[in-house]
Amino acid sequence: MTRTDQKVGYEPRSKADRHGVPYTPQTAAADVEVALRIVAGRWKLVILFNLFDGARHRFSDLERAIPAVSQKMLTQQLRQLEHDGVVHRFVHAEVPPRVEYCLTDWGRALCPALDAILVWAAERDPCPTAAPT
């Protein structure tokens, strides 16, 4: 499995928030909640993983790559990601219209976090023992 951080590359950040002040449990939880709202949605993570290669993808390519999603839902999720600054939409002045999507720089910066979640999930014990009561 190719790690997504090798595709994008990133520098680890300090444990200070965007204002240079060290995180407290409350501020960290609040900032993570805001971030999770951006990627919350049934298809957003699947869309992001399809866009992580850095190439522009046509709407129809994304539709084929995610066959279980409806056209309406794919459009809605892409619009939300575009509104949040994660995805960039390119509209070509052609007939028929051609629309392509790719990640913004800020969207590509999400790659290491999602890679860390993949690693974390892979380390899960498939048969966890019952918790002591």
Side-chain angles (χ1 to χ4, degrees):
M1 173 170 84
T2 303
R3 292 180 52 127
T4 52
D5 68 327
Q6 293 171 348
K7 293 179 186 177
V8 176
Y10 66 97
E11 292 284 322
R13 300 226 171 149
S14 68
K15 293 185 177 185
D17 69 8
R18 65 182 175 269
H19 303 292
V21 179
Y23 278 118
T24 65
Q26 293 78 18
T27 61
D31 285 354
V32 167
E33 185 177 349
V34 170
L36 289 177
R37 276 192 212 131
I38 293 171
V39 296
R42 182 167 181 191
W43 301 105
K44 285 184 182 177
L45 291 174
V46 178
I47 293 167
L48 290 173
F49 277 105
N50 277 281
L51 295 175
F52 272 143
D53 62 3
R56 290 185 185 182
H57 293 267
R58 294 182 71 163
F59 183 86
S60 59
D61 294 338
L62 291 171
E63 245 181 337
R64 278 191 296 278
I66 314 168
V69 68
S70 69
Q71 208 175 50
K72 177 183 175 186
M73 186 56 69
L74 181 58
T75 300
Q76 287 176 351
Q77 301 278 277
L78 284 165
R79 283 183 183 161
Q80 290 172 5
L81 288 168
E82 181 187 13
H83 178 266
D84 290 330
V86 178
V87 169
H88 186 74
R89 181 176 185 247
F90 296 92
V91 180
H92 299 275
E94 300 175 351
V95 176
R98 182 170 50 120
V99 180
E100 295 176 325
Y101 296 90
C102 71
L103 292 175
T104 62
D105 290 340
W106 190 62
R108 280 192 302 277
L110 182 59
C111 180
L114 294 181
D115 184 56
I117 290 171
L118 279 174
V119 170
W120 174 74
E123 293 173 354
R124 180 175 180 243
D125 184 5
C127 298
T129 58
T133 56

